């Protein structure tokens, strides 16, 4: 029987990949849009390209949102933002899903293990933990996908590999194991989870596990130029710097990814607190996982 999946946040980078992954299965895919701004035209393009249906409802309109979810089997959230999105909008989406009789909900987690981090060390993880408490109390079956950091960020968005300076940064230890998974691999896993009624509360996957030392070795091999490790301080010092940056930020907590938030992500990774401990890469059979080396090699070739 065809499964009906509604994707919220489908016009975003990861959300679009999830839609494409779902379309490789026997699914009917609905894309939720608020019907305003650029998201409407983006949803229209996605509908034309992928053959999905577009439904319109504002997150503040519970009745319209509930109607939009009528007949949906699984809600997959891929929304991105700060508190107004991760907590408030997802709570509205969850309430509508419950009232519409949706069986399952996949929240917008797609991160490292936010459940074990020290309070105050990672804002975005704490928002996910706050929403998870609401989700766990709701009468709906939920599954979170945890995948470490996105490998794609190593090509520039996350300043770990300094390509022009032939350096790889690290905090505390160059041998701390770091979890990475590409967005496409996360999207593929999310599609499997959406179609798996027996999926547990959390599914952990990791495309590759590396250290800063290993990344430096890989870059040296790929480029033929020695990439050296550069110690940038301890994770504790970086956490203190992030706290100062957060207090001094003009935008406060309204900015989605300020510099201090990037620092917090590195704290969570290099402290080891957010490491995944129950990885189940084989849950959906043999899969081709993209490695850190694959991503870096493709970036250099481009």
């Amino acid at each position: 029987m065809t499964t009906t999946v509604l994707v919220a946040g489908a016009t975003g980078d990861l959300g679009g990949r999830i839609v494409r992954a779902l379309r490789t299965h026997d699914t009917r895919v609905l894309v939720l849009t608020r019907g305003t701004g650029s998201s409407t035209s983006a949803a229209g393009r996605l509908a034309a390209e992928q053959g999905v249906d577009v439904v319109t409802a504002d997150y503040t309109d519970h009745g319209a949102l509930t109607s939009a979810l009528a007949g949906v089997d699984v809600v997959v959230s891929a929304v991105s933002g700060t508190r107004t999105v991760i907590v408030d909008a997802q709570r509205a989406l969850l309430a509508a899903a419950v009232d519409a009789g949706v069986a399952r909900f996949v929240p917008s987690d797609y991160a490292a293990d936010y459940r074990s981090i020290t309070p105050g060390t990672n804002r975005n993880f704490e928002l996910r933990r706050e929403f998870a408490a609401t989700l766990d109390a709701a009468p709906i079956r939920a599954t979170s996908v945890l995948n470490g950091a996105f490998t794609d960020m190593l090509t520039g968005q996350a300043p770990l590999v300094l390509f022009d300076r032939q350096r790889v940064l690290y905090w505390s230890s160059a041998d701390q194991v770091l979890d990475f998974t590409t967005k496409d691999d996360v999207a593929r896993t999310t599609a499997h989870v959406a179609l798996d009624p027996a999926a547990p509360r959390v599914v952990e996957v990791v495309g590759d596990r590396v250290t800063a030392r290993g990344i430096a070795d890989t870059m040296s091999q790929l480029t033929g130029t020695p990439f050296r490790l550069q110690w940038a301080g301890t994770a504790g010092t970086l956490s203190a710097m992030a706290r100062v940056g957060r207090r001094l930020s003009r935008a406060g907590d309204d900015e989605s990814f300020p510099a201090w938030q990037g620092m917090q992500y590195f704290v969570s990774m290099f402290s080891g607190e957010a490491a995944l401990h129950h990885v189940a890469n084989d849950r959906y059979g043999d899969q081709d996982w993209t490695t850190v080396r694959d991503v870096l090699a493709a970036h250099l070739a481009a």
Side-chain angles (χ1 to χ4, degrees):
M1 185 174 68
T2 300
T3 302
T4 299
V5 183
L6 179 138
V7 180
T11 58
D13 185 12
L14 180 61
R17 296 170 195 251
I18 292 173
V19 169
R20 289 190 287 274
L22 284 166
R23 293 297 292 140
T24 65
H25 300 271
D26 181 19
T27 57
R28 179 191 177 208
V29 180
L30 305 180
V31 170
L32 177 65
T33 177
R34 289 178 293 180
T36 58
S38 60
S39 63
T40 301
S41 56
R45 289 194 298 272
L46 196 59
E49 294 169 1
Q50 297 296 321
V52 301
D53 297 318
V54 178
V55 294
T56 303
D58 194 279
Y59 287 96
T60 60
D61 188 337
H62 179 72
L65 198 55
T66 302
S67 296
L69 296 178
V72 169
D73 299 304
V74 186
V75 167
V76 173
S77 176
V79 297
S80 177
T82 55
R83 169 172 293 277
T84 57
V85 177
I86 298 301
V87 177
D88 299 340
Q90 284 201 115
R91 280 177 174 170
L93 185 62
L94 174 62
V98 170
D99 285 353
V102 176
R104 299 177 55 235
F105 194 104
V106 179
S108 186
D109 286 344
Y110 317 115
D113 194 347
Y114 58 80
R115 298 169 296 177
S116 57
I117 63 166
T118 300
T121 59
N122 192 311
R123 175 199 61 177
N124 284 3
F125 284 1
E126 289 166 25
L127 293 177
R128 282 163 170 75
R129 186 159 60 188
E130 182 177 345
F131 176 68
T134 300
L135 182 56
D136 288 338
I140 194 169
R141 189 177 179 88
T143 300
S144 292
V145 176
L146 299 183
N147 50 260
F150 291 131
T151 321
D152 318 64
M153 297 176 66
L154 285 174
T155 59
Q157 187 176 357
L160 189 65
V161 181
L162 307 183
F163 293 90
D164 57 340
R165 294 174 55 190
Q166 293 81 48
R167 295 288 189 274
V168 174
L169 298 180
Y170 73 94
W171 287 263
S172 292
S173 173
D175 297 308
Q176 172 63 49
V177 176
L178 310 173
D179 299 327
F180 287 101
T181 312
T182 64
K183 294 177 182 178
D184 282 338
D185 286 348
V186 172
R188 182 190 65 221
T189 300
T190 303
H192 283 300
V193 166
L195 301 177
D196 178 9
R201 178 63 182 85
V202 174
V203 170
E204 296 181 8
V205 294
V206 173
D208 200 3
R209 289 188 137 150
V210 297
T211 64
R213 190 183 307 280
I215 293 174
D217 290 343
T218 296
M219 287 300 299
S220 298
Q221 295 164 13
L222 291 174
T223 63
T225 301
F227 268 67
R228 302 187 186 284
L229 290 166
Q230 182 169 322
W231 185 70
T234 68
T237 301
L238 185 61
S239 183
M241 291 172 60
R243 288 195 297 271
V244 172
R246 185 176 187 177
R247 285 198 297 268
L248 297 178
S249 173
R250 292 183 178 181
D253 277 8
D254 294 331
E255 192 175 355
S256 295
F257 205 87
W260 57 263
Q261 177 64 75
M263 294 178 189
Q264 289 186 333
Y265 270 91
F266 281 140
V267 170
S268 297
M269 294 172 67
F270 279 93
S271 67
E273 284 192 340
L276 300 175
H277 299 288
H278 304 286
V279 175
N281 279 10
D282 59 349
R283 179 175 179 84
Y284 300 109
D286 290 335
Q287 307 288 328
D288 291 326
W289 299 94
T290 308
T291 66
V292 166
R293 185 185 183 92
D294 293 335
V295 170
L296 293 174
H299 177 69
L300 292 170

